[in-house]
């Protein structure tokens, strides 16, 4: 059908397109049960970041983190399709904690096929299947600490930082549900940049980001490629 065209007088246009999963997520969903698809196109995961598999024996072979994961502090895989649930936000803070959690599961040698996750037992290993990553001393240390069963993922909210432009920002620092302090303006801007630098993965990145900030302050932003 033909659409009518008309002019809307305005002074500022803000386009908020939202986010969508990358094509790889869609291709992965094709290999998973239909119940793994969240309403927004993300992959539903359990409390150990595991995607549901078509074969029970493959459980734990796929971990989904970050923006691709529909992660809740409730076990949404056990909920009926009509149930409502609250998902964790798609932020770098959530993704970073999920990545550290998944790394601990792998480094500590938990059996990802069990529910809940437990340390692998030497008795269950086949004689001709040697696990080169098995660390008996680490296993004993974890058992002494009561970590023979893996805890579920729990997000610890550390607050938020938002850059406003013009050398100003917003900062709200908290620990879980406890608010510590909040700033706005130049103080929050300094805090935002400090955290931004600390979160860089390498010293090289920190140096490059610092030089980019200095260059922008002296000569302005390069808009020739926009």
């Amino acid at each position: 059908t033909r659409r009518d065209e008309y002019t809307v007088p305005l002074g500022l246009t803000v386009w908020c397109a939202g986010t969508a999963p990358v094509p790889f997520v869609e291709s992965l969903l094709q290999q998973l049960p239909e119940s793994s698809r969240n309403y927004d196109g993300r992959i539903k995961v359990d409390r150990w970041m595991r995607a549901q598999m078509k074969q029970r024996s493959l459980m734990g072979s796929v971990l989904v983190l970050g923006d691709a994961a529909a992660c809740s502090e409730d076990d949404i895989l056990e909920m009926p399709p009509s149930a409502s649930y609250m998902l964790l936000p798609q932020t770098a803070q959530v993704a970073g904690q999920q990545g550290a959690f998944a790394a601990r599961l792998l480094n500590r040698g938990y059996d990802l096929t069990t529910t809940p996750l437990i340390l692998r037992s030497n008795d269950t290993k086949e004689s001709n299947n040697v696990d080169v990553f098995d660390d008996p001393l680490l296993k004993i240390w974890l058992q002494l600490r009561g970590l023979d069963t893996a805890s579920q993922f729990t997000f610890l909210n550390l607050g938020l930082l938002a850059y406003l432009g013009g050398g100003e920002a917003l900062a709200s620092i908290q620990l879980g549900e406890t608010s510590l302090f909040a700033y706005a303006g130049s103080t929050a801007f300094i805090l935002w940049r400090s955290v931004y630098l600390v979160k860089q993965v390498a010293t090289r990145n920190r140096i490059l980001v610092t030089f980019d900030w200095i260059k922008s302050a002296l000569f302005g932003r390069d808009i020739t490629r926009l």
Side-chain angles (χ1 to χ4, degrees), residues 114-135:
T114 62
T115 302
L117 276 60
I118 60 176
L119 292 173
R120 292 191 184 94
S121 173
N122 293 328
D123 300 334
T124 60
K125 293 180 181 178
E126 300 178 2
S127 57
N128 60 346
N129 186 17
V130 179
D131 186 359
V132 296
F133 298 103
D134 183 49
D135 188 344

Side-chain angles (χ1 to χ4, degrees), residues 150-224:
S151 60
Q152 299 174 334
F153 174 75
T154 302
F155 172 61
L156 178 62
N157 189 1
L158 301 177
L160 60 88
L161 297 167
Y163 177 54
L164 302 178
E168 295 187 346
L170 296 175
S172 176
I173 308 302
Q174 61 188 74
L175 188 63
E177 299 298 324
T178 304
S179 178
L180 300 179
F181 56 85
Y183 293 112
S186 57
T187 302
F189 175 70
I190 295 174
L191 180 60
W192 174 81
R193 285 207 158 175
S194 301
V195 173
Y196 192 93
L197 278 179
V198 170
K199 289 297 183 179
Q200 298 300 312
V201 297
T203 303
R204 175 180 179 273
N205 294 41
R206 297 187 183 98
I207 295 174
L208 290 175
V209 169
T210 302
F211 273 110
D212 182 65
W213 287 343
I214 295 174
K215 182 182 66 175
S216 299
L218 294 176
F219 305 107
R221 287 288 180 185
D222 181 10
I223 62 173
T224 58

Side-chain angles (χ1 to χ4, degrees), residues 92-106:
Q93 184 181 169
V94 173
Q97 293 185 27
Q98 289 174 342
F101 175 79
R104 285 195 298 271
L105 295 181
L106 298 175

Side-chain angles (χ1 to χ4, degrees), residues 8-13:
V8 178
L10 50 85
L12 175 66
T13 302

